[in-house]
Amino acid sequence: MIEFKNVCKKYPNGTLALDDVSLKIDDGEFVFIVGESGAGKSTMLKTLFREEKISSGTLIVDGYDLRKTPNRKIPHYRRNLGIVFQDFRLFPNKTVFENVAFAMRAIGVPSRDINRRVPTILRIVNLQDKAKSFPRELSGGEQQRVALARALANNPSIIIADEPTGNIDPKLSLEIMNLLIKIHKHGKTVIVVTHEKNFVDYFQQRVITIKDGHVVDDKVGGMFDE
Amino acid sequence: MSKKQRSRYSLGYLISQAFKSLFRNGMMSVASIAVLMSCLTVMGSFALLVYNINYNLDQLGSLNEIVVYCDTDLSDEDVDAIGRRVRLMDNVNEEAVKLITKEEVLIEERQKYSEFTDLFDQMDQSGVNPYPDTFVIQYEDNNKVSALQMELEQIEGVHKVQCRADLAETIESLKNSIIFIFMWFLVILFLVSVFVIINTIKLAVHSRKQEISIMRYVGATRWFITTPFVIEGIIIGVVSSGIAYAIEYFLYRTVYNAVSVNYGMIDIVPFGELQNVLLIGFAAVGIITGIIGTSISLSKHLKA
């Protein structure tokens, strides 16, 4: 479970990016976070994967109180998360297989287990035939699927996707969104930050709208209100 | 799989990753090695120069000689008596008291001033040798040389005592000044080198900022992220120091040969006497700056 309780995030330059945010996301939920540029969506995600520490309030994710968790425990906390970025962030010099395997190696999974699990994960994202390809040989949609496979590699309970379709064409974007829904149906909590009104309206999931650092709307089966 | 086995497995993986990324980031690796190697070569050359200057000044300063001129009218027995007395004196190296007889001096002078043959012929005809019997004495302790000089002057039959203590002192103080200035140069050179090396490594690490951020997001520990970079730093340090050592060897050999042939009075310490210190020094500086540079550069990207 994710719980924001009166969370504020103030940057050293004085910008108040999150202002008294309180919300709860239950295990297995699918949530869209929408809002204009600079509304605080990215900061919200950054506080979730502890790239940024909150200034006040309480943020609890899967039992970790992120304001109090010491830095040395953060890598272990992050293993509960699968993070997908708009710009994919793949290793250009590693093959698809190696990119996915890397997430497992980083936490000490033995090679034998890696060799067994990576093909399974690649099958989930339908990239089993591209295991030996390098990212530059793949389309944007395929690269994002590799990023998704990497996010799934360590079987995290939460998937966080920051504008996952921002860099790919609309046709392939639907594929990615469908994959996220599929992952959600397997019991994962999925949080997607997006600007894509069509998808938000189409999938009819919970929609949290952020404006000027505040949660201004939070509806299940909501729409993207502009 | 036990914890111990797992960590050993990880270390093997991390070492292989360090080698792979050295090749993958070829240009930055070459740049880092080139910078480190240049700094080590300059520092090494400077250190060897300082060492050799120090060595030569030491040689000069260790003359430790006093020259005693006897009266010209002394008999051989009188001169022998002075010699025996001198050998028993405190601060005199008994083995190193050398008598140059007036006859030997005459021969020496005749050779030195061969254009004045007439003058020396006249001396022969008159049977008068105007040169004194001379003792060249080596003393042991530079600090007690004034007392020794006074003692020698009081011996009957001694005409004059010439001491080179002032020369030794001048050389000693010159040596100290040179060493002091050169050591500061060396320290500054070292600091500049470390600064340049660390910045080069910083640049190399910065170019892989994204790689580090991906590692963090997938939950890699600080150890997992840092180790390959540190191993890379060590490899860069070892390779650079190896190349710098080879360059230094050839440079030194060239200078050694040139100086030995053209400037016989300058003593150059053979490379063999310095090679271990140089190799250890290079390796230590190379590896330590490699590790420090990597750690400083990484800490910026590893807040949590």
Side-chain angles (χ1 to χ4, degrees), chain B residues 186-219:
Chain B
L186 199 62
V187 168
I188 292 166
L189 196 61
F190 175 75
L191 292 177
V192 169
S193 302
V194 169
F195 182 77
V196 171
I197 293 159
I198 286 175
N199 274 292
T200 311
I201 294 173
K202 252 187 191 174
L203 221 70
V205 169
H206 186 77
S207 71
R208 288 155 71 184
K209 199 170 63 172
Q210 182 152 318
E211 189 180 327
I212 297 166
S213 78
I214 296 169
M215 290 194 224
R216 290 172 59 227
Y217 294 141
V218 298

PDB file of all heavy atoms in Angstrom, chain B residues 186-219:
ATOM      1  N   LEU B 186      57.832  19.416  -6.264  1.00  0.00           N
ATOM      2  CA  LEU B 186      57.338  18.043  -6.398  1.00  0.00           C
ATOM      3  C   LEU B 186      55.951  17.902  -5.770  1.00  0.00           C
ATOM      4  O   LEU B 186      55.056  17.283  -6.333  1.00  0.00           O
ATOM      5  CB  LEU B 186      58.336  17.082  -5.740  1.00  0.00           C
ATOM      6  CG  LEU B 186      58.238  15.623  -6.170  1.00  0.00           C
ATOM      7  CD1 LEU B 186      58.512  15.480  -7.660  1.00  0.00           C
ATOM      8  CD2 LEU B 186      59.231  14.775  -5.406  1.00  0.00           C
ATOM      9  N   VAL B 187      55.793  18.520  -4.594  1.00  0.00           N
ATOM     10  CA  VAL B 187      54.491  18.457  -3.910  1.00  0.00           C
ATOM     11  C   VAL B 187      53.421  19.144  -4.763  1.00  0.00           C
ATOM     12  O   VAL B 187      52.320  18.608  -4.970  1.00  0.00           O
ATOM     13  CB  VAL B 187      54.589  19.120  -2.503  1.00  0.00           C
ATOM     14  CG1 VAL B 187      53.206  19.325  -1.908  1.00  0.00           C
ATOM     15  CG2 VAL B 187      55.431  18.260  -1.580  1.00  0.00           C
ATOM     16  N   ILE B 188      53.773  20.333  -5.309  1.00  0.00           N
ATOM     17  CA  ILE B 188      52.802  21.070  -6.138  1.00  0.00           C
ATOM     18  C   ILE B 188      52.469  20.256  -7.390  1.00  0.00           C
ATOM     19  O   ILE B 188      51.304  20.101  -7.753  1.00  0.00           O
ATOM     20  CB  ILE B 188      53.351  22.473  -6.503  1.00  0.00           C
ATOM     21  CG1 ILE B 188      53.413  23.326  -5.238  1.00  0.00           C
ATOM     22  CG2 ILE B 188      52.494  23.146  -7.574  1.00  0.00           C
ATOM     23  CD1 ILE B 188      54.217  24.593  -5.364  1.00  0.00           C
ATOM     24  N   LEU B 189      53.515  19.691  -7.982  1.00  0.00           N
ATOM     25  CA  LEU B 189      53.324  18.871  -9.184  1.00  0.00           C
ATOM     26  C   LEU B 189      52.409  17.691  -8.874  1.00  0.00           C
ATOM     27  O   LEU B 189      51.512  17.349  -9.652  1.00  0.00           O
ATOM     28  CB  LEU B 189      54.691  18.381  -9.656  1.00  0.00           C
ATOM     29  CG  LEU B 189      54.776  17.844 -11.066  1.00  0.00           C
ATOM     30  CD1 LEU B 189      54.409  18.916 -12.067  1.00  0.00           C
ATOM     31  CD2 LEU B 189      56.196  17.357 -11.352  1.00  0.00           C
ATOM     32  N   PHE B 190      52.625  17.084  -7.697  1.00  0.00           N
ATOM     33  CA  PHE B 190      51.804  15.948  -7.282  1.00  0.00           C
ATOM     34  C   PHE B 190      50.343  16.376  -7.126  1.00  0.00           C
ATOM     35  O   PHE B 190      49.434  15.724  -7.636  1.00  0.00           O
ATOM     36  CB  PHE B 190      52.350  15.373  -5.968  1.00  0.00           C
ATOM     37  CG  PHE B 190      51.499  14.276  -5.384  1.00  0.00           C
ATOM     38  CD1 PHE B 190      51.517  13.013  -5.937  1.00  0.00           C
ATOM     39  CD2 PHE B 190      50.672  14.516  -4.303  1.00  0.00           C
ATOM     40  CE1 PHE B 190      50.721  12.004  -5.421  1.00  0.00           C
ATOM     41  CE2 PHE B 190      49.874  13.513  -3.768  1.00  0.00           C
ATOM     42  CZ  PHE B 190      49.908  12.252  -4.333  1.00  0.00           C
ATOM     43  N   LEU B 191      50.142  17.520  -6.453  1.00  0.00           N
ATOM     44  CA  LEU B 191      48.767  17.982  -6.226  1.00  0.00           C
ATOM     45  C   LEU B 191      48.084  18.328  -7.548  1.00  0.00           C
ATOM     46  O   LEU B 191      46.917  17.978  -7.758  1.00  0.00           O
ATOM     47  CB  LEU B 191      48.763  19.197  -5.287  1.00  0.00           C
ATOM     48  CG  LEU B 191      49.192  18.901  -3.850  1.00  0.00           C
ATOM     49  CD1 LEU B 191      49.217  20.171  -3.022  1.00  0.00           C
ATOM     50  CD2 LEU B 191      48.269  17.871  -3.203  1.00  0.00           C
ATOM     51  N   VAL B 192      48.839  18.985  -8.439  1.00  0.00           N
ATOM     52  CA  VAL B 192      48.264  19.330  -9.747  1.00  0.00           C
ATOM     53  C   VAL B 192      47.900  18.044 -10.494  1.00  0.00           C
ATOM     54  O   VAL B 192      46.814  17.931 -11.079  1.00  0.00           O
ATOM     55  CB  VAL B 192      49.260  20.188 -10.574  1.00  0.00           C
ATOM     56  CG1 VAL B 192      48.795  20.324 -12.017  1.00  0.00           C
ATOM     57  CG2 VAL B 192      49.423  21.562  -9.947  1.00  0.00           C
ATOM     58  N   SER B 193      48.810  17.063 -10.430  1.00  0.00           N
ATOM     59  CA  SER B 193      48.551  15.791 -11.116  1.00  0.00           C
ATOM     60  C   SER B 193      47.293  15.139 -10.561  1.00  0.00           C
ATOM     61  O   SER B 193      46.437  14.679 -11.318  1.00  0.00           O
ATOM     62  CB  SER B 193      49.732  14.838 -10.929  1.00  0.00           C
ATOM     63  OG  SER B 193      50.888  15.432 -11.412  1.00  0.00           O
ATOM     64  N   VAL B 194      47.201  15.090  -9.224  1.00  0.00           N
ATOM     65  CA  VAL B 194      46.025  14.462  -8.605  1.00  0.00           C
ATOM     66  C   VAL B 194      44.754  15.194  -9.049  1.00  0.00           C
ATOM     67  O   VAL B 194      43.751  14.572  -9.414  1.00  0.00           O
ATOM     68  CB  VAL B 194      46.158  14.469  -7.055  1.00  0.00           C
ATOM     69  CG1 VAL B 194      44.849  14.078  -6.391  1.00  0.00           C
ATOM     70  CG2 VAL B 194      47.261  13.517  -6.628  1.00  0.00           C
ATOM     71  N   PHE B 195      44.825  16.521  -9.083  1.00  0.00           N
ATOM     72  CA  PHE B 195      43.677  17.334  -9.502  1.00  0.00           C
ATOM     73  C   PHE B 195      43.278  17.002 -10.949  1.00  0.00           C
ATOM     74  O   PHE B 195      42.096  16.767 -11.241  1.00  0.00           O
ATOM     75  CB  PHE B 195      44.062  18.816  -9.385  1.00  0.00           C
ATOM     76  CG  PHE B 195      42.962  19.758  -9.738  1.00  0.00           C
ATOM     77  CD1 PHE B 195      41.922  19.999  -8.864  1.00  0.00           C
ATOM     78  CD2 PHE B 195      42.956  20.410 -10.960  1.00  0.00           C
ATOM     79  CE1 PHE B 195      40.896  20.862  -9.192  1.00  0.00           C
ATOM     80  CE2 PHE B 195      41.942  21.271 -11.307  1.00  0.00           C
ATOM     81  CZ  PHE B 195      40.912  21.506 -10.415  1.00  0.00           C
ATOM     82  N   VAL B 196      44.282  16.941 -11.816  1.00  0.00           N
ATOM     83  CA  VAL B 196      44.013  16.649 -13.235  1.00  0.00           C
ATOM     84  C   VAL B 196      43.427  15.239 -13.387  1.00  0.00           C
ATOM     85  O   VAL B 196      42.432  15.026 -14.084  1.00  0.00           O
ATOM     86  CB  VAL B 196      45.316  16.793 -14.069  1.00  0.00           C
ATOM     87  CG1 VAL B 196      45.114  16.279 -15.488  1.00  0.00           C
ATOM     88  CG2 VAL B 196      45.766  18.238 -14.107  1.00  0.00           C
ATOM     89  N   ILE B 197      44.050  14.294 -12.659  1.00  0.00           N
ATOM     90  CA  ILE B 197      43.603  12.897 -12.762  1.00  0.00           C
ATOM     91  C   ILE B 197      42.162  12.768 -12.269  1.00  0.00           C
ATOM     92  O   ILE B 197      41.311  12.169 -12.924  1.00  0.00           O
ATOM     93  CB  ILE B 197      44.531  11.967 -11.936  1.00  0.00           C
ATOM     94  CG1 ILE B 197      45.924  11.943 -12.577  1.00  0.00           C
ATOM     95  CG2 ILE B 197      43.955  10.569 -11.860  1.00  0.00           C
ATOM     96  CD1 ILE B 197      47.020  11.503 -11.629  1.00  0.00           C
ATOM     97  N   ILE B 198      41.885  13.375 -11.104  1.00  0.00           N
ATOM     98  CA  ILE B 198      40.544  13.270 -10.530  1.00  0.00           C
ATOM     99  C   ILE B 198      39.518  13.888 -11.478  1.00  0.00           C
ATOM    100  O   ILE B 198      38.436  13.331 -11.689  1.00  0.00           O
ATOM    101  CB  ILE B 198      40.501  13.924  -9.130  1.00  0.00           C
ATOM    102  CG1 ILE B 198      41.234  13.002  -8.134  1.00  0.00           C
ATOM    103  CG2 ILE B 198      39.068  14.166  -8.659  1.00  0.00           C
ATOM    104  CD1 ILE B 198      41.380  13.552  -6.745  1.00  0.00           C
ATOM    105  N   ASN B 199      39.881  14.998 -12.097  1.00  0.00           N
ATOM    106  CA  ASN B 199      38.935  15.632 -13.019  1.00  0.00           C
ATOM    107  C   ASN B 199      38.701  14.804 -14.273  1.00  0.00           C
ATOM    108  O   ASN B 199      37.593  14.770 -14.796  1.00  0.00           O
ATOM    109  CB  ASN B 199      39.404  17.042 -13.379  1.00  0.00           C
ATOM    110  CG  ASN B 199      38.916  18.023 -12.348  1.00  0.00           C
ATOM    111  OD1 ASN B 199      37.725  18.268 -12.246  1.00  0.00           O
ATOM    112  ND2 ASN B 199      39.815  18.534 -11.551  1.00  0.00           N
ATOM    113  N   THR B 200      39.753  14.140 -14.722  1.00  0.00           N
ATOM    114  CA  THR B 200      39.588  13.272 -15.893  1.00  0.00           C
ATOM    115  C   THR B 200      38.640  12.123 -15.549  1.00  0.00           C
ATOM    116  O   THR B 200      37.742  11.786 -16.323  1.00  0.00           O
ATOM    117  CB  THR B 200      40.958  12.708 -16.336  1.00  0.00           C
ATOM    118  OG1 THR B 200      41.866  13.787 -16.413  1.00  0.00           O
ATOM    119  CG2 THR B 200      40.864  12.019 -17.675  1.00  0.00           C
ATOM    120  N   ILE B 201      38.861  11.535 -14.364  1.00  0.00           N
ATOM    121  CA  ILE B 201      37.995  10.422 -13.951  1.00  0.00           C
ATOM    122  C   ILE B 201      36.559  10.927 -13.760  1.00  0.00           C
ATOM    123  O   ILE B 201      35.598  10.260 -14.137  1.00  0.00           O
ATOM    124  CB  ILE B 201      38.540   9.756 -12.672  1.00  0.00           C
ATOM    125  CG1 ILE B 201      39.881   9.084 -12.991  1.00  0.00           C
ATOM    126  CG2 ILE B 201      37.562   8.721 -12.136  1.00  0.00           C
ATOM    127  CD1 ILE B 201      40.611   8.540 -11.794  1.00  0.00           C
ATOM    128  N   LYS B 202      36.437  12.152 -13.205  1.00  0.00           N
ATOM    129  CA  LYS B 202      35.111  12.740 -12.999  1.00  0.00           C
ATOM    130  C   LYS B 202      34.368  12.814 -14.326  1.00  0.00           C
ATOM    131  O   LYS B 202      33.186  12.510 -14.420  1.00  0.00           O
ATOM    132  CB  LYS B 202      35.269  14.164 -12.453  1.00  0.00           C
ATOM    133  CG  LYS B 202      34.889  14.309 -11.009  1.00  0.00           C
ATOM    134  CD  LYS B 202      34.932  15.766 -10.642  1.00  0.00           C
ATOM    135  CE  LYS B 202      34.829  15.967  -9.161  1.00  0.00           C
ATOM    136  NZ  LYS B 202      35.007  17.338  -8.764  1.00  0.00           N
ATOM    137  N   LEU B 203      35.111  13.240 -15.337  1.00  0.00           N
ATOM    138  CA  LEU B 203      34.540  13.378 -16.678  1.00  0.00           C
ATOM    139  C   LEU B 203      34.072  12.006 -17.184  1.00  0.00           C
ATOM    140  O   LEU B 203      32.993  11.867 -17.755  1.00  0.00           O
ATOM    141  CB  LEU B 203      35.622  13.926 -17.610  1.00  0.00           C
ATOM    142  CG  LEU B 203      35.201  14.980 -18.603  1.00  0.00           C
ATOM    143  CD1 LEU B 203      34.881  16.276 -17.873  1.00  0.00           C
ATOM    144  CD2 LEU B 203      36.315  15.212 -19.619  1.00  0.00           C
ATOM    145  N   ALA B 204      34.931  11.006 -16.929  1.00  0.00           N
ATOM    146  CA  ALA B 204      34.611   9.645 -17.379  1.00  0.00           C
ATOM    147  C   ALA B 204      33.369   9.140 -16.660  1.00  0.00           C
ATOM    148  O   ALA B 204      32.485   8.533 -17.276  1.00  0.00           O
ATOM    149  CB  ALA B 204      35.799   8.727 -17.118  1.00  0.00           C
ATOM    150  N   VAL B 205      33.287   9.412 -15.357  1.00  0.00           N
ATOM    151  CA  VAL B 205      32.129   8.944 -14.580  1.00  0.00           C
ATOM    152  C   VAL B 205      30.875   9.718 -15.018  1.00  0.00           C
ATOM    153  O   VAL B 205      29.802   9.142 -15.172  1.00  0.00           O
ATOM    154  CB  VAL B 205      32.384   9.111 -13.059  1.00  0.00           C
ATOM    155  CG1 VAL B 205      31.121   8.881 -12.268  1.00  0.00           C
ATOM    156  CG2 VAL B 205      33.462   8.140 -12.608  1.00  0.00           C
ATOM    157  N   HIS B 206      31.052  11.033 -15.251  1.00  0.00           N
ATOM    158  CA  HIS B 206      29.906  11.855 -15.636  1.00  0.00           C
ATOM    159  C   HIS B 206      29.291  11.361 -16.946  1.00  0.00           C
ATOM    160  O   HIS B 206      28.066  11.354 -17.109  1.00  0.00           O
ATOM    161  CB  HIS B 206      30.337  13.318 -15.776  1.00  0.00           C
ATOM    162  CG  HIS B 206      29.195  14.239 -16.016  1.00  0.00           C
ATOM    163  ND1 HIS B 206      28.333  14.637 -15.011  1.00  0.00           N
ATOM    164  CD2 HIS B 206      28.727  14.806 -17.154  1.00  0.00           C
ATOM    165  CE1 HIS B 206      27.407  15.407 -15.524  1.00  0.00           C
ATOM    166  NE2 HIS B 206      27.625  15.539 -16.818  1.00  0.00           N
ATOM    167  N   SER B 207      30.163  10.910 -17.854  1.00  0.00           N
ATOM    168  CA  SER B 207      29.649  10.441 -19.144  1.00  0.00           C
ATOM    169  C   SER B 207      28.823   9.170 -18.974  1.00  0.00           C
ATOM    170  O   SER B 207      28.132   8.741 -19.886  1.00  0.00           O
ATOM    171  CB  SER B 207      30.805  10.204 -20.116  1.00  0.00           C
ATOM    172  OG  SER B 207      31.536   9.074 -19.715  1.00  0.00           O
ATOM    173  N   ARG B 208      28.908   8.567 -17.785  1.00  0.00           N
ATOM    174  CA  ARG B 208      28.124   7.343 -17.543  1.00  0.00           C
ATOM    175  C   ARG B 208      27.085   7.554 -16.447  1.00  0.00           C
ATOM    176  O   ARG B 208      26.690   6.621 -15.755  1.00  0.00           O
ATOM    177  CB  ARG B 208      29.093   6.216 -17.184  1.00  0.00           C
ATOM    178  CG  ARG B 208      29.861   5.779 -18.425  1.00  0.00           C
ATOM    179  CD  ARG B 208      31.178   5.171 -18.073  1.00  0.00           C
ATOM    180  NE  ARG B 208      31.001   3.879 -17.450  1.00  0.00           N
ATOM    181  CZ  ARG B 208      31.998   3.167 -16.973  1.00  0.00           C
ATOM    182  NH1 ARG B 208      33.216   3.628 -17.044  1.00  0.00           N
ATOM    183  NH2 ARG B 208      31.768   2.006 -16.419  1.00  0.00           N
ATOM    184  N   LYS B 209      26.662   8.824 -16.344  1.00  0.00           N
ATOM    185  CA  LYS B 209      25.672   9.210 -15.335  1.00  0.00           C
ATOM    186  C   LYS B 209      24.405   8.363 -15.446  1.00  0.00           C
ATOM    187  O   LYS B 209      23.864   7.885 -14.457  1.00  0.00           O
ATOM    188  CB  LYS B 209      25.345  10.693 -15.586  1.00  0.00           C
ATOM    189  CG  LYS B 209      24.727  11.418 -14.464  1.00  0.00           C
ATOM    190  CD  LYS B 209      24.676  12.900 -14.749  1.00  0.00           C
ATOM    191  CE  LYS B 209      23.812  13.214 -15.947  1.00  0.00           C
ATOM    192  NZ  LYS B 209      23.587  14.653 -16.142  1.00  0.00           N
ATOM    193  N   GLN B 210      23.962   8.185 -16.698  1.00  0.00           N
ATOM    194  CA  GLN B 210      22.707   7.459 -16.911  1.00  0.00           C
ATOM    195  C   GLN B 210      22.828   5.999 -16.469  1.00  0.00           C
ATOM    196  O   GLN B 210      21.924   5.447 -15.856  1.00  0.00           O
ATOM    197  CB  GLN B 210      22.312   7.536 -18.384  1.00  0.00           C
ATOM    198  CG  GLN B 210      20.980   6.830 -18.627  1.00  0.00           C
ATOM    199  CD  GLN B 210      20.245   7.413 -19.812  1.00  0.00           C
ATOM    200  OE1 GLN B 210      20.194   8.620 -19.994  1.00  0.00           O
ATOM    201  NE2 GLN B 210      19.686   6.542 -20.619  1.00  0.00           N
ATOM    202  N   GLU B 211      23.998   5.428 -16.785  1.00  0.00           N
ATOM    203  CA  GLU B 211      24.255   4.038 -16.402  1.00  0.00           C
ATOM    204  C   GLU B 211      24.133   3.898 -14.879  1.00  0.00           C
ATOM    205  O   GLU B 211      23.520   2.950 -14.381  1.00  0.00           O
ATOM    206  CB  GLU B 211      25.679   3.697 -16.867  1.00  0.00           C
ATOM    207  CG  GLU B 211      26.045   2.253 -16.765  1.00  0.00           C
ATOM    208  CD  GLU B 211      27.470   2.014 -17.259  1.00  0.00           C
ATOM    209  OE1 GLU B 211      27.914   2.728 -18.190  1.00  0.00           O
ATOM    210  OE2 GLU B 211      28.124   1.129 -16.701  1.00  0.00           O
ATOM    211  N   ILE B 212      24.691   4.880 -14.168  1.00  0.00           N
ATOM    212  CA  ILE B 212      24.643   4.834 -12.701  1.00  0.00           C
ATOM    213  C   ILE B 212      23.203   4.987 -12.218  1.00  0.00           C
ATOM    214  O   ILE B 212      22.759   4.281 -11.313  1.00  0.00           O
ATOM    215  CB  ILE B 212      25.550   5.938 -12.094  1.00  0.00           C
ATOM    216  CG1 ILE B 212      26.999   5.679 -12.483  1.00  0.00           C
ATOM    217  CG2 ILE B 212      25.408   6.014 -10.583  1.00  0.00           C
ATOM    218  CD1 ILE B 212      27.933   6.845 -12.240  1.00  0.00           C
ATOM    219  N   SER B 213      22.458   5.901 -12.872  1.00  0.00           N
ATOM    220  CA  SER B 213      21.071   6.113 -12.423  1.00  0.00           C
ATOM    221  C   SER B 213      20.230   4.856 -12.660  1.00  0.00           C
ATOM    222  O   SER B 213      19.403   4.497 -11.828  1.00  0.00           O
ATOM    223  CB  SER B 213      20.465   7.342 -13.097  1.00  0.00           C
ATOM    224  OG  SER B 213      20.075   7.037 -14.408  1.00  0.00           O
ATOM    225  N   ILE B 214      20.470   4.159 -13.770  1.00  0.00           N
ATOM    226  CA  ILE B 214      19.706   2.918 -14.017  1.00  0.00           C
ATOM    227  C   ILE B 214      20.006   1.908 -12.909  1.00  0.00           C
ATOM    228  O   ILE B 214      19.106   1.270 -12.367  1.00  0.00           O
ATOM    229  CB  ILE B 214      20.056   2.323 -15.405  1.00  0.00           C
ATOM    230  CG1 ILE B 214      19.637   3.280 -16.524  1.00  0.00           C
ATOM    231  CG2 ILE B 214      19.358   0.963 -15.598  1.00  0.00           C
ATOM    232  CD1 ILE B 214      20.166   2.902 -17.898  1.00  0.00           C
ATOM    233  N   MET B 215      21.279   1.809 -12.560  1.00  0.00           N
ATOM    234  CA  MET B 215      21.655   0.856 -11.506  1.00  0.00           C
ATOM    235  C   MET B 215      20.923   1.180 -10.205  1.00  0.00           C
ATOM    236  O   MET B 215      20.460   0.290  -9.502  1.00  0.00           O
ATOM    237  CB  MET B 215      23.165   0.910 -11.268  1.00  0.00           C
ATOM    238  CG  MET B 215      23.983   0.348 -12.397  1.00  0.00           C
ATOM    239  SD  MET B 215      25.660   0.103 -11.833  1.00  0.00           S
ATOM    240  CE  MET B 215      26.590   0.723 -13.176  1.00  0.00           C
ATOM    241  N   ARG B 216      20.846   2.483  -9.906  1.00  0.00           N
ATOM    242  CA  ARG B 216      20.184   2.873  -8.659  1.00  0.00           C
ATOM    243  C   ARG B 216      18.709   2.504  -8.693  1.00  0.00           C
ATOM    244  O   ARG B 216      18.152   2.008  -7.721  1.00  0.00           O
ATOM    245  CB  ARG B 216      20.342   4.371  -8.428  1.00  0.00           C
ATOM    246  CG  ARG B 216      21.763   4.764  -8.078  1.00  0.00           C
ATOM    247  CD  ARG B 216      21.927   6.264  -8.041  1.00  0.00           C
ATOM    248  NE  ARG B 216      21.042   6.881  -7.087  1.00  0.00           N
ATOM    249  CZ  ARG B 216      20.287   7.949  -7.332  1.00  0.00           C
ATOM    250  NH1 ARG B 216      20.319   8.524  -8.525  1.00  0.00           N
ATOM    251  NH2 ARG B 216      19.508   8.447  -6.415  1.00  0.00           N
ATOM    252  N   TYR B 217      18.063   2.760  -9.855  1.00  0.00           N
ATOM    253  CA  TYR B 217      16.622   2.518  -9.929  1.00  0.00           C
ATOM    254  C   TYR B 217      16.257   1.039  -9.861  1.00  0.00           C
ATOM    255  O   TYR B 217      15.164   0.702  -9.463  1.00  0.00           O
ATOM    256  CB  TYR B 217      16.046   3.134 -11.210  1.00  0.00           C
ATOM    257  CG  TYR B 217      16.117   4.639 -11.214  1.00  0.00           C
ATOM    258  CD1 TYR B 217      16.442   5.338 -12.369  1.00  0.00           C
ATOM    259  CD2 TYR B 217      15.863   5.368 -10.056  1.00  0.00           C
ATOM    260  CE1 TYR B 217      16.518   6.718 -12.373  1.00  0.00           C
ATOM    261  CE2 TYR B 217      15.945   6.744 -10.047  1.00  0.00           C
ATOM    262  CZ  TYR B 217      16.274   7.420 -11.203  1.00  0.00           C
ATOM    263  OH  TYR B 217      16.355   8.785 -11.194  1.00  0.00           O
ATOM    264  N   VAL B 218      17.183   0.178 -10.291  1.00  0.00           N
ATOM    265  CA  VAL B 218      16.840  -1.252 -10.199  1.00  0.00           C
ATOM    266  C   VAL B 218      17.207  -1.828  -8.826  1.00  0.00           C
ATOM    267  O   VAL B 218      17.056  -3.015  -8.599  1.00  0.00           O
ATOM    268  CB  VAL B 218      17.489  -2.100 -11.330  1.00  0.00           C
ATOM    269  CG1 VAL B 218      16.999  -1.645 -12.686  1.00  0.00           C
ATOM    270  CG2 VAL B 218      18.991  -2.087 -11.248  1.00  0.00           C
ATOM    271  N   GLY B 219      17.693  -0.972  -7.938  1.00  0.00           N
ATOM    272  CA  GLY B 219      17.939  -1.418  -6.560  1.00  0.00           C
ATOM    273  C   GLY B 219      19.342  -1.925  -6.311  1.00  0.00           C
ATOM    274  O   GLY B 219      19.568  -2.674  -5.361  1.00  0.00           O
TER     275      GLY B 219
END
